[in-house]
Amino acid sequence: MKKLADQVTFKHGATINNRMVQPPMLTNSGLNGAVTDDTLAYWDARSNSAGLMIVEYNYVSPAGGPAMTWADDRTQLAIYDDKFVPGLTKLATTMKKHGNKAIMQIAHTGRQANYRAHLGLPVYAPTSANYSFLPYGVQAFTTAEVEQVVKDFGAATKRAIDAGFDGVEIHGANHYLIQQFFSRFSNHRTDKWGKPDAFPLAVANEVFRVVKKYAPANFIVGYRISPEEINPDSVGYTWHESTKLIDELTSQFDFDYIHLSMGSYKEKPQDSEKTFAELFTPFLGDGTKLIIVGGVMDQAAAEDALKYTDLVAAGRAQIIDANFSAKVVKNHGEDVITKMSDQEEAEQKVTPGLREVFDQKTNLPDWGKTLSDLDYSKAIKVTAD
Ligand SMILES: Cc1cc2nc3c(=O)[nH]c(=O)nc-3n(C[C@H](O)[C@H](O)[C@H](O)COP(=O)(O)O)c2cc1C
């Protein structure tokens, strides 16, 4: 019988103290991309809880972010330049101080880099478009620019190694650039990057090249994916295609884990009785662990989720209660803080940027407000392809 308190050893040899994961979550604590004291205080408070902690998505190229950002001192974190390494080193040291493992999520936000549009800088995507859901246009990368972004994922991995992180997670989920390439809704390219799996495979190849060259042998590499992209009036891909991609990724590369990004850990597609966790498990390959996430807010849900997976991630629960994972691992679910209040936010070291968007009634962040309230009058006009 699996228990939340079990130690788990990954394929490359790293062992974590329990089966709980803090999934990557934007803290809006960056100062033009750099780690701040707010970032460190937030992670210091959470460093003795989940066995595996994944830092929010850090953008790997200058044009890869910031997204969901509305001010210079409320930005997403960045890893596109060596100048960020000293701050990231402090972050890794803070996270690891109790012996839990720290993972860096590496990402390019592509069309979601809203703060660039606000500043009048170009925003890139696989294909040029004026999407109805974005208050600015996005322009296609040239072939050479795509190749540069692939290299940027490698350089970011090297920086994460230098900063002392225990691993990296490739962000292939949540409508960001890797998913934008994988989706037939957003990728209409006619060069080699028009093949949906070309970009995810190239990024994985580059990340593993750098890991083999520079990282310790037990360095952890994970991949996060959204099982499906079903838009209101179009389909980007279904689980039939995403399981094939995971099959390709895990047969070509030695991933330590695959992380399914979901709103509910029990989520199912429309055309199957099985959960996504059950549908993806056969494609993991030998020894690759599964992480699932979505709606784990108490002891019972954490234990129930464990029936479907190796590792259970709890996101908002870890924002509300910095010690959520530690409490459920010790079977002390009754001590979990379940509601945010102004006093709790301060005690739990929720960053000021996150406090501004976190809705205490729904326990959900209200990103829409931050996206649409910005002035986009400087945004570059784009002709759709
Ligand atoms: C404030 C906030 C920020 C998030 N930022 C990221 C992120 O940086 N990268 C990512 O892959 N997912 C991100 N997510 C999604 C979470 O990792 C997680 O999948 C989601 O919150 C569902 O889990 P939960 O119900 O336990 O909160 C974010 C979610 C929240 C609430």
Side-chain angles (χ1 to χ4, degrees), residues 225-267:
I225 190 164
S226 298
E228 294 192 314
E229 182 188 303
I230 316 246
N231 306 308
D233 45 17
S234 66
V235 174
Y237 62 87
T238 67
W239 65 274
H240 299 278
E241 293 145 295
S242 56
T243 48
K244 279 202 193 105
L245 176 64
I246 292 301
D247 194 20
E248 281 184 278
L249 285 166
T250 54
S251 38
Q252 293 183 34
F253 308 100
D254 238 358
F255 279 100
D256 291 277
Y257 71 82
I258 298 296
H259 189 172
L260 299 184
S261 180
M262 300 180 287
S264 157
Y265 67 89
K266 281 199 261 201
E267 212 168 293

Short mmCIF file of all heavy atoms in Angstrom, two decimals, residues 225-267:
data_model
loop_
_atom_site.label_atom_id
_atom_site.label_comp_id
_atom_site.label_asym_id
_atom_site.label_seq_id
_atom_site.Cartn_x
_atom_site.Cartn_y
_atom_site.Cartn_z
N ILE A 225 2.48 18.34 -18.99
CA ILE A 225 1.61 18.41 -20.17
C ILE A 225 0.16 18.55 -19.73
O ILE A 225 -0.24 18.01 -18.69
CB ILE A 225 1.80 17.14 -21.07
CG1 ILE A 225 1.09 17.31 -22.41
CG2 ILE A 225 1.34 15.86 -20.36
CD1 ILE A 225 1.55 16.32 -23.48
N SER A 226 -0.62 19.29 -20.50
CA SER A 226 -2.07 19.30 -20.32
C SER A 226 -2.62 18.15 -21.16
O SER A 226 -2.34 18.10 -22.37
CB SER A 226 -2.68 20.62 -20.81
OG SER A 226 -2.16 21.70 -20.07
N PRO A 227 -3.39 17.23 -20.58
CA PRO A 227 -3.81 16.05 -21.35
C PRO A 227 -4.56 16.39 -22.63
O PRO A 227 -4.45 15.66 -23.62
CB PRO A 227 -4.70 15.29 -20.38
CG PRO A 227 -4.27 15.74 -19.02
CD PRO A 227 -3.81 17.16 -19.17
N GLU A 228 -5.34 17.47 -22.62
CA GLU A 228 -6.09 17.84 -23.83
C GLU A 228 -6.12 19.36 -23.98
O GLU A 228 -6.01 20.08 -22.99
CB GLU A 228 -7.55 17.34 -23.75
CG GLU A 228 -7.65 15.83 -23.75
CD GLU A 228 -9.07 15.32 -23.95
OE1 GLU A 228 -10.00 15.84 -23.29
OE2 GLU A 228 -9.24 14.39 -24.74
N GLU A 229 -6.31 19.81 -25.22
CA GLU A 229 -6.61 21.23 -25.45
C GLU A 229 -7.92 21.31 -26.21
O GLU A 229 -7.96 21.12 -27.43
CB GLU A 229 -5.50 21.93 -26.24
CG GLU A 229 -5.82 23.42 -26.43
CD GLU A 229 -4.86 24.12 -27.37
OE1 GLU A 229 -3.64 24.10 -27.13
OE2 GLU A 229 -5.35 24.69 -28.38
N ILE A 230 -8.98 21.53 -25.48
CA ILE A 230 -10.30 21.66 -26.09
C ILE A 230 -10.73 23.11 -25.88
O ILE A 230 -10.99 23.52 -24.74
CB ILE A 230 -11.32 20.68 -25.45
CG1 ILE A 230 -10.68 19.29 -25.29
CG2 ILE A 230 -12.65 20.68 -26.20
CD1 ILE A 230 -11.21 18.16 -26.07
N ASN A 231 -10.76 23.89 -26.94
CA ASN A 231 -11.13 25.31 -26.86
C ASN A 231 -12.64 25.42 -27.08
O ASN A 231 -13.26 24.48 -27.55
CB ASN A 231 -10.36 26.10 -27.92
CG ASN A 231 -8.86 25.88 -27.82
OD1 ASN A 231 -8.28 26.03 -26.76
ND2 ASN A 231 -8.23 25.49 -28.93
N PRO A 232 -13.23 26.60 -26.76
CA PRO A 232 -14.69 26.72 -26.92
C PRO A 232 -15.18 26.33 -28.32
O PRO A 232 -16.19 25.66 -28.46
CB PRO A 232 -14.95 28.20 -26.64
CG PRO A 232 -13.81 28.63 -25.78
CD PRO A 232 -12.63 27.79 -26.16
N ASP A 233 -14.45 26.73 -29.38
CA ASP A 233 -14.95 26.36 -30.71
C ASP A 233 -13.90 25.67 -31.58
O ASP A 233 -13.96 25.72 -32.82
CB ASP A 233 -15.54 27.59 -31.43
CG ASP A 233 -14.63 28.78 -31.28
OD1 ASP A 233 -13.45 28.57 -30.94
OD2 ASP A 233 -15.09 29.92 -31.51
N SER A 234 -12.93 25.03 -30.96
CA SER A 234 -11.93 24.29 -31.73
C SER A 234 -11.21 23.29 -30.81
O SER A 234 -11.32 23.40 -29.59
CB SER A 234 -10.89 25.25 -32.32
OG SER A 234 -10.17 25.83 -31.25
N VAL A 235 -10.51 22.36 -31.45
CA VAL A 235 -9.75 21.38 -30.67
C VAL A 235 -8.28 21.50 -31.06
O VAL A 235 -7.94 21.40 -32.25
CB VAL A 235 -10.26 19.94 -30.95
CG1 VAL A 235 -9.37 18.91 -30.25
CG2 VAL A 235 -11.69 19.80 -30.46
N GLY A 236 -7.42 21.75 -30.07
CA GLY A 236 -5.98 21.81 -30.35
C GLY A 236 -5.40 20.40 -30.44
O GLY A 236 -4.63 20.08 -31.33
N TYR A 237 -5.78 19.55 -29.49
CA TYR A 237 -5.41 18.12 -29.50
C TYR A 237 -6.22 17.42 -28.43
O TYR A 237 -6.76 18.06 -27.53
CB TYR A 237 -3.90 17.91 -29.29
CG TYR A 237 -3.37 18.40 -27.95
CD1 TYR A 237 -3.38 17.59 -26.82
CD2 TYR A 237 -2.85 19.69 -27.82
CE1 TYR A 237 -2.90 18.05 -25.60
CE2 TYR A 237 -2.36 20.16 -26.60
CZ TYR A 237 -2.39 19.33 -25.50
OH TYR A 237 -1.92 19.78 -24.29
N THR A 238 -6.32 16.09 -28.57
CA THR A 238 -7.01 15.29 -27.56
C THR A 238 -5.99 14.36 -26.89
O THR A 238 -4.83 14.29 -27.32
CB THR A 238 -8.11 14.42 -28.19
OG1 THR A 238 -7.46 13.44 -29.01
CG2 THR A 238 -9.08 15.26 -29.01
N TRP A 239 -6.46 13.60 -25.91
CA TRP A 239 -5.55 12.68 -25.20
C TRP A 239 -5.01 11.59 -26.13
O TRP A 239 -3.96 11.02 -25.86
CB TRP A 239 -6.23 12.07 -23.98
CG TRP A 239 -7.40 11.17 -24.27
CD1 TRP A 239 -8.69 11.55 -24.45
CD2 TRP A 239 -7.37 9.75 -24.43
NE1 TRP A 239 -9.48 10.46 -24.71
CE2 TRP A 239 -8.69 9.33 -24.70
CE3 TRP A 239 -6.36 8.78 -24.37
CZ2 TRP A 239 -9.03 7.99 -24.91
CZ3 TRP A 239 -6.70 7.44 -24.58
CH2 TRP A 239 -8.02 7.06 -24.84
N HIS A 240 -5.73 11.32 -27.23
CA HIS A 240 -5.24 10.30 -28.17
C HIS A 240 -3.89 10.76 -28.74
O HIS A 240 -2.99 9.95 -28.97
CB HIS A 240 -6.24 10.08 -29.30
CG HIS A 240 -7.58 9.61 -28.80
ND1 HIS A 240 -7.83 8.30 -28.50
CD2 HIS A 240 -8.71 10.29 -28.50
CE1 HIS A 240 -9.08 8.18 -28.06
NE2 HIS A 240 -9.64 9.38 -28.05
N GLU A 241 -3.76 12.08 -28.96
CA GLU A 241 -2.50 12.61 -29.49
C GLU A 241 -1.47 12.87 -28.39
O GLU A 241 -0.27 12.61 -28.58
CB GLU A 241 -2.77 13.90 -30.26
CG GLU A 241 -3.60 13.67 -31.51
CD GLU A 241 -4.55 14.81 -31.79
OE1 GLU A 241 -5.48 15.06 -30.99
OE2 GLU A 241 -4.37 15.46 -32.83
N SER A 242 -1.93 13.36 -27.24
CA SER A 242 -0.96 13.70 -26.19
C SER A 242 -0.33 12.44 -25.58
O SER A 242 0.83 12.48 -25.17
CB SER A 242 -1.60 14.57 -25.10
OG SER A 242 -2.72 13.93 -24.57
N THR A 243 -1.08 11.33 -25.52
CA THR A 243 -0.45 10.10 -25.01
C THR A 243 0.61 9.62 -26.00
O THR A 243 1.65 9.09 -25.59
CB THR A 243 -1.49 8.97 -24.77
OG1 THR A 243 -2.33 8.87 -25.93
CG2 THR A 243 -2.34 9.23 -23.54
N LYS A 244 0.37 9.85 -27.31
CA LYS A 244 1.41 9.47 -28.30
C LYS A 244 2.67 10.32 -28.11
O LYS A 244 3.78 9.82 -28.22
CB LYS A 244 0.89 9.68 -29.73
CG LYS A 244 0.02 8.54 -30.21
CD LYS A 244 -0.03 8.50 -31.75
CE LYS A 244 -1.14 7.56 -32.19
NZ LYS A 244 -2.33 8.25 -32.69
N LEU A 245 2.46 11.61 -27.82
CA LEU A 245 3.63 12.47 -27.59
C LEU A 245 4.40 11.98 -26.35
O LEU A 245 5.64 11.90 -26.38
CB LEU A 245 3.19 13.94 -27.40
CG LEU A 245 4.34 14.89 -27.06
CD1 LEU A 245 5.35 14.99 -28.20
CD2 LEU A 245 3.82 16.29 -26.70
N ILE A 246 3.68 11.66 -25.29
CA ILE A 246 4.36 11.18 -24.08
C ILE A 246 5.08 9.86 -24.38
O ILE A 246 6.20 9.63 -23.91
CB ILE A 246 3.35 11.04 -22.91
CG1 ILE A 246 2.87 12.44 -22.48
CG2 ILE A 246 3.95 10.28 -21.73
CD1 ILE A 246 3.96 13.41 -22.04
N ASP A 247 4.46 9.02 -25.18
CA ASP A 247 5.10 7.76 -25.57
C ASP A 247 6.43 8.06 -26.29
O ASP A 247 7.47 7.46 -26.00
CB ASP A 247 4.14 6.98 -26.49
CG ASP A 247 4.57 5.55 -26.68
OD1 ASP A 247 5.35 5.04 -25.84
OD2 ASP A 247 4.14 4.93 -27.67
N GLU A 248 6.39 9.01 -27.23
CA GLU A 248 7.62 9.37 -27.95
C GLU A 248 8.66 9.94 -26.99
O GLU A 248 9.84 9.58 -27.05
CB GLU A 248 7.32 10.48 -28.98
CG GLU A 248 6.68 10.01 -30.27
CD GLU A 248 6.54 11.20 -31.21
OE1 GLU A 248 5.55 11.96 -31.06
OE2 GLU A 248 7.40 11.37 -32.08
N LEU A 249 8.22 10.84 -26.11
CA LEU A 249 9.16 11.51 -25.20
C LEU A 249 9.81 10.50 -24.25
O LEU A 249 11.02 10.54 -24.02
CB LEU A 249 8.45 12.59 -24.38
CG LEU A 249 8.12 13.89 -25.14
CD1 LEU A 249 7.11 14.74 -24.35
CD2 LEU A 249 9.39 14.71 -25.39
N THR A 250 8.98 9.59 -23.71
CA THR A 250 9.55 8.66 -22.71
C THR A 250 10.32 7.52 -23.39
O THR A 250 11.16 6.91 -22.75
CB THR A 250 8.46 8.08 -21.78
OG1 THR A 250 7.44 7.48 -22.58
CG2 THR A 250 7.86 9.13 -20.88
N SER A 251 10.05 7.24 -24.67
CA SER A 251 10.88 6.21 -25.29
C SER A 251 12.20 6.77 -25.83
O SER A 251 13.19 6.07 -25.89
CB SER A 251 10.13 5.39 -26.35
OG SER A 251 9.27 6.19 -27.10
N GLN A 252 12.21 8.07 -26.15
CA GLN A 252 13.47 8.64 -26.66
C GLN A 252 14.36 9.22 -25.55
O GLN A 252 15.56 9.35 -25.74
CB GLN A 252 13.17 9.74 -27.67
CG GLN A 252 12.54 9.20 -28.96
CD GLN A 252 12.32 10.29 -29.99
OE1 GLN A 252 13.09 11.23 -30.09
NE2 GLN A 252 11.26 10.16 -30.76
N PHE A 253 13.73 9.62 -24.43
CA PHE A 253 14.49 10.29 -23.36
C PHE A 253 14.13 9.67 -22.01
O PHE A 253 13.02 9.19 -21.82
CB PHE A 253 14.19 11.80 -23.34
CG PHE A 253 14.37 12.45 -24.68
CD1 PHE A 253 13.26 12.72 -25.49
CD2 PHE A 253 15.63 12.75 -25.15
CE1 PHE A 253 13.42 13.30 -26.74
CE2 PHE A 253 15.80 13.33 -26.40
CZ PHE A 253 14.69 13.60 -27.20
N ASP A 254 15.10 9.80 -21.08
CA ASP A 254 14.97 9.15 -19.77
C ASP A 254 14.31 10.08 -18.75
O ASP A 254 14.96 10.50 -17.79
CB ASP A 254 16.41 8.86 -19.31
CG ASP A 254 16.59 7.40 -19.06
OD1 ASP A 254 15.61 6.65 -19.20
OD2 ASP A 254 17.73 7.03 -18.69
N PHE A 255 13.05 10.39 -18.93
CA PHE A 255 12.40 11.31 -17.99
C PHE A 255 12.22 10.66 -16.62
O PHE A 255 11.81 9.50 -16.52
CB PHE A 255 11.03 11.75 -18.53
CG PHE A 255 11.12 12.86 -19.53
CD1 PHE A 255 11.03 12.59 -20.89
CD2 PHE A 255 11.32 14.16 -19.12
CE1 PHE A 255 11.14 13.61 -21.82
CE2 PHE A 255 11.43 15.19 -20.04
CZ PHE A 255 11.33 14.91 -21.40
N ASP A 256 12.48 11.44 -15.57
CA ASP A 256 12.23 10.95 -14.21
C ASP A 256 10.74 10.97 -13.90
O ASP A 256 10.26 10.13 -13.16
CB ASP A 256 12.99 11.81 -13.19
CG ASP A 256 14.48 11.60 -13.30
OD1 ASP A 256 14.97 10.61 -12.71
OD2 ASP A 256 15.15 12.38 -14.00
N TYR A 257 10.05 11.99 -14.43
CA TYR A 257 8.61 12.02 -14.18
C TYR A 257 7.86 12.73 -15.30
O TYR A 257 8.45 13.53 -16.05
CB TYR A 257 8.28 12.66 -12.82
CG TYR A 257 8.51 14.16 -12.71
CD1 TYR A 257 7.57 15.08 -13.18
CD2 TYR A 257 9.66 14.67 -12.09
CE1 TYR A 257 7.78 16.45 -13.06
CE2 TYR A 257 9.86 16.04 -11.96
CZ TYR A 257 8.92 16.92 -12.45
OH TYR A 257 9.12 18.28 -12.35
N ILE A 258 6.59 12.40 -15.39
CA ILE A 258 5.64 13.11 -16.25
C ILE A 258 4.59 13.70 -15.33
O ILE A 258 4.10 13.04 -14.40
CB ILE A 258 4.97 12.15 -17.27
CG1 ILE A 258 6.03 11.53 -18.22
CG2 ILE A 258 3.86 12.86 -18.06
CD1 ILE A 258 6.77 12.51 -19.11
N HIS A 259 4.25 14.97 -15.56
CA HIS A 259 3.36 15.72 -14.68
C HIS A 259 2.12 16.13 -15.48
O HIS A 259 2.24 16.90 -16.43
CB HIS A 259 4.14 16.94 -14.19
CG HIS A 259 3.49 17.74 -13.12
ND1 HIS A 259 4.15 18.76 -12.47
CD2 HIS A 259 2.26 17.69 -12.57
CE1 HIS A 259 3.33 19.30 -11.57
NE2 HIS A 259 2.18 18.67 -11.62
N LEU A 260 0.97 15.59 -15.11
CA LEU A 260 -0.27 15.95 -15.83
C LEU A 260 -0.89 17.17 -15.18
O LEU A 260 -1.23 17.15 -13.99
CB LEU A 260 -1.27 14.79 -15.78
CG LEU A 260 -0.83 13.47 -16.42
CD1 LEU A 260 -2.00 12.47 -16.38
CD2 LEU A 260 -0.37 13.68 -17.86
N SER A 261 -1.06 18.23 -15.95
CA SER A 261 -1.66 19.46 -15.44
C SER A 261 -3.18 19.39 -15.64
O SER A 261 -3.66 19.36 -16.76
CB SER A 261 -1.08 20.65 -16.21
OG SER A 261 -1.65 21.85 -15.74
N MET A 262 -3.91 19.37 -14.52
CA MET A 262 -5.37 19.20 -14.62
C MET A 262 -6.07 20.03 -13.55
O MET A 262 -5.49 20.37 -12.53
CB MET A 262 -5.73 17.71 -14.36
CG MET A 262 -5.10 16.77 -15.35
SD MET A 262 -5.53 15.06 -15.04
CE MET A 262 -4.59 14.69 -13.58
N GLY A 263 -7.35 20.31 -13.81
CA GLY A 263 -8.16 21.04 -12.84
C GLY A 263 -8.63 20.13 -11.72
O GLY A 263 -8.90 20.58 -10.61
N SER A 264 -8.74 18.82 -12.02
CA SER A 264 -9.11 17.84 -11.01
C SER A 264 -8.26 16.59 -11.20
O SER A 264 -8.12 16.11 -12.34
CB SER A 264 -10.58 17.47 -11.13
OG SER A 264 -10.81 16.21 -10.54
N TYR A 265 -7.74 16.04 -10.11
CA TYR A 265 -6.87 14.86 -10.25
C TYR A 265 -7.63 13.66 -10.80
O TYR A 265 -7.02 12.72 -11.30
CB TYR A 265 -6.20 14.52 -8.91
CG TYR A 265 -7.15 14.05 -7.82
CD1 TYR A 265 -7.46 12.71 -7.68
CD2 TYR A 265 -7.75 14.96 -6.95
CE1 TYR A 265 -8.34 12.27 -6.69
CE2 TYR A 265 -8.63 14.54 -5.98
CZ TYR A 265 -8.93 13.20 -5.85
OH TYR A 265 -9.80 12.77 -4.89
N LYS A 266 -8.97 13.70 -10.74
CA LYS A 266 -9.78 12.57 -11.23
C LYS A 266 -10.33 12.82 -12.63
O LYS A 266 -11.18 12.08 -13.09
CB LYS A 266 -10.96 12.36 -10.29
CG LYS A 266 -10.61 11.61 -9.03
CD LYS A 266 -11.85 11.03 -8.38
CE LYS A 266 -12.31 11.92 -7.27
NZ LYS A 266 -13.15 11.31 -6.28
N GLU A 267 -9.85 13.90 -13.27
CA GLU A 267 -10.43 14.30 -14.56
C GLU A 267 -10.41 13.16 -15.58
O GLU A 267 -9.44 12.38 -15.64
CB GLU A 267 -9.59 15.47 -15.09
CG GLU A 267 -10.37 16.47 -15.90
CD GLU A 267 -9.51 17.72 -16.12
OE1 GLU A 267 -9.23 18.44 -15.14
OE2 GLU A 267 -9.13 17.96 -17.28
#
